[in-house]
Amino acid sequence: MSLGLRILKPSLNPLLLLCTKRPIVDTQRRFLSESVSKAIERVNFSTQKIIQLVPNEELSTAVRNKLPALPLEANWDRPNPIRLFHKTPVIHSKVEGGHYFAGGLPALMQAVQQLEKEPTAPVTYVNDGLIKKSTQSGHQGHVHPSEWTTPDCSALNLMKTLLVGLNVLKPHPPQAVEQYSYLHFPVSIRAVAKNPVEQFQFYGKFFAHRLLHSALSVNGASDDDRWLCAAVRQSLTYHQKLSDHIVQMLNVPTFQRGWRLYWSPNREAILKKKTLWNEVGIQTALLTDEEKRRQTLFKINAPIHALKVFGDGKFSPQIHELVIEFLNKKYPQTFQTRTAVVSEVYFDERTDQPIAVREDGTLFKVSSFLGSPGHNQVFEVDSLTRKELQAWQEVPVSGVSTLWLCTFSRAEFLERIKEPDLQDHQIEARLKDYVASANLTNLHVTVVNCSAKEGNIVIITRITQGANFNSLVADKNDLVNMAENLERFYIGTWKLLSAGTCTRKTAISNVPEFSSNFIHGLSGIGFSFSAAPKHMLQRKPLTEDVISKLCEAFYRKLRI
């Protein structure tokens, strides 16, 4: 598959990716506390993938015991490339991998479905041990159309974003919570001057898809959007079913489905979102003041408007470990898992079916193969010339991934919810089950745990935001905007525990794609899409061929 889309030579060294630095607006504002401002100043996304900002010894024992098993600090790592060969290799090993799945949560969930289908057939799941994108995500399960339906991806805003990236226009500061855009194009005039044709082709393809999506949409949604919503809806239904089984065996849920909040200070924008979601079959209702007081962490007087999005939910941060433990217990004779690096996959040259995998240097037979590596370093190798061609084209899109602590008074919380007799363990259970939320600037807030001790309540939250296009490094302005939103609209005192970059990959269609036995282009929907039935993967985006032909014709005319 070729999308005609090409990443503009990003280096694996994040320091070299920052072709321009968008100015960071002064964070010393009345809404940000001094401690949060100082923590943000310490963050340098280019030097570390994840930075821990509060040492463990400064945390109470109760909070340390409640922290999820998520990395608080990590250095940058390089993805492990995978090469695809269409030939039959000589295999000496007698080991057989059976149905073989490699990668993150989508590969693991396909392994689950394979075991349900054929419980007596051997299944192998491997992961390379690097930080999974899903562990840095917002842990939210949500039915959602593509980003092409959002105001930030409107033709006008895309043009403004490009001009901001070129330093022609000034961006809205991150303190401007209603006007701020989470989408960034970090380009440079130097790069454009050096290779204008490549730059024009890259962004031209992107803008052409914007126009094509508009042309092919009905009431703001394309067939791609409707297909994505249907696939995610089936995926979340499967996740809930699996979670129910895991609760019976392990007494811990992996997914809690009910509803999710979507909010903004802008009422008109929220009502437009409600209309769009109704068009793609997403049921919503406006949040009442009583629900806001009893079931959210929003300040009572915060000028926000929110939708309850039914059918959404949130995932356990330990979903990988829990699912694997469940499979080990339910299928002890047929399921195996290990940490290993897959470097080669072999396909039969006649049937094009996978027949062998090289794992940590050992080549062995497999019955089938499915991968979701979370990167695009997958290469088709010509059997004769040994020339390598990237198996698919994707663009890295980076956001800010954080853990925060929020502290507030036990007495004030009980007064807020009008339940003065709740005990500490009941408060913890109540807050841990609070619904996840997101807003129009891509701010995702998910409560993952809670500690209620000695008159104070501390909640631990995973918060993510941002889309730094064609970059492996997050934009610090998103972190500033995140902090502004928290301190303006949420109760409590906030402390930044760790901050890092979470980079997802997207194809130009912005919907997941399947080729060469790999799921890719998952963008920010990977967690929610991960358990989509396999037959729904065998679909090419409806707009892909059309846009390629349109762009090829346009480039031919340009050359003439």
Side-chain angles (χ1 to χ4, degrees), residues 88-371:
T88 303
V90 177
I91 301 175
H92 300 291
S93 174
K94 294 182 180 180
V95 176
E96 294 194 13
H99 297 289
Y100 193 96
F101 300 84
L105 188 62
L108 178 58
M109 294 308 299
Q110 294 300 318
V112 176
Q113 295 183 36
Q114 177 62 43
L115 284 163
E116 284 190 352
K117 179 182 176 183
E118 296 182 78
T120 60
V123 167
T124 300
Y125 169 71
V126 303
N127 183 273
D128 60 10
L130 302 181
I131 296 175
K132 308 174 191 71
K133 286 205 309 294
S134 52
T135 63
Q136 284 194 272
S137 78
H139 308 318
Q140 297 188 10
H142 51 85
V143 180
H144 201 292
S146 74
E147 291 297 312
W148 292 112
T149 63
T150 65
D152 285 81
C153 286
S154 68
L156 178 60
N157 193 69
L158 289 177
M159 182 58 68
K160 289 180 179 178
T161 303
L162 182 59
L163 293 176
V164 168
L166 290 167
N167 293 322
V168 175
L169 291 181
K170 289 185 178 180
H172 288 296
Q175 290 85 357
V177 293
E178 288 195 49
Q179 295 80 28
Y180 183 74
S181 175
Y182 64 89
L183 180 64
H184 318 298
F185 288 162
V187 296
S188 70
I189 294 178
R190 178 182 297 179
V192 174
K194 184 177 180 180
N195 200 332
V197 174
E198 187 174 282
Q199 294 278 343
F200 178 81
Q201 183 178 9
F202 179 76
Y203 286 102
K205 188 83 171 181
F206 191 77
F207 278 88
H209 197 285
R210 166 67 276 167
L211 299 176
L212 190 65
H213 183 276
S214 298
L216 298 181
S217 294
V218 176
N219 296 329
S222 68
D223 285 343
D224 281 351
D225 297 316
R226 299 172 202 277
W227 166 82
L228 179 59
C229 289
V232 171
R233 198 172 286 115
Q234 291 193 47
S235 173
L236 295 184
T237 297
Y238 187 88
H239 268 293
Q240 186 61 67
K241 175 185 172 184
L242 176 63
S243 181
D244 292 342
H245 291 315
I246 291 175
V247 168
Q248 292 176 3
M249 181 179 289
L250 305 178
N251 200 33
V252 183
T254 55
F255 180 60
Q256 296 170 280
R257 194 177 194 184
W259 52 283
R260 189 176 67 112
L261 274 177
Y262 205 83
W263 65 275
S264 171
N266 187 328
R267 178 178 173 82
E268 182 181 354
I270 282 294
L271 293 178
K272 285 182 178 179
K273 182 67 72 173
K274 180 176 174 62
T275 300
L276 171 66
W277 279 348
N278 181 67
E279 177 67 26
V280 293
I282 300 173
Q283 184 184 1
T284 64
L286 290 171
L287 185 75
T288 67
D289 289 340
E290 178 67 9
E291 290 169 331
K292 177 183 177 183
R293 180 174 59 81
R294 292 180 57 85
Q295 301 183 54
T296 80
L297 296 174
F298 295 127
K299 294 177 180 177
I300 298 300
N301 60 351
I304 66 164
H305 308 278
L307 290 175
K308 295 189 295 182
V309 186
F310 299 105
D312 286 357
K314 63 180 182 179
F315 290 94
S316 164
Q318 277 73 55
I319 183 172
H320 289 84
E321 294 78 10
L322 292 171
V323 170
I324 288 173
E325 183 180 355
F326 170 78
L327 295 180
N328 278 327
K329 290 185 176 182
K330 186 172 183 179
Y331 305 100
Q333 303 302 318
T334 52
F335 176 69
Q336 60 177 330
T337 182
R338 55 183 171 266
T339 300
V341 174
V342 175
S343 57
E344 296 174 356
V345 182
Y346 288 82
F347 298 82
D348 186 282
E349 56 263 47
R350 292 170 299 160
T351 65
D352 207 33
Q353 295 301 306
I355 54 176
V357 166
R358 188 179 299 279
E359 173 196 295
D360 287 347
T362 301
L363 186 67
F364 52 83
K365 294 180 181 178
V366 295
S367 305
S368 66
F369 174 87
L370 186 143

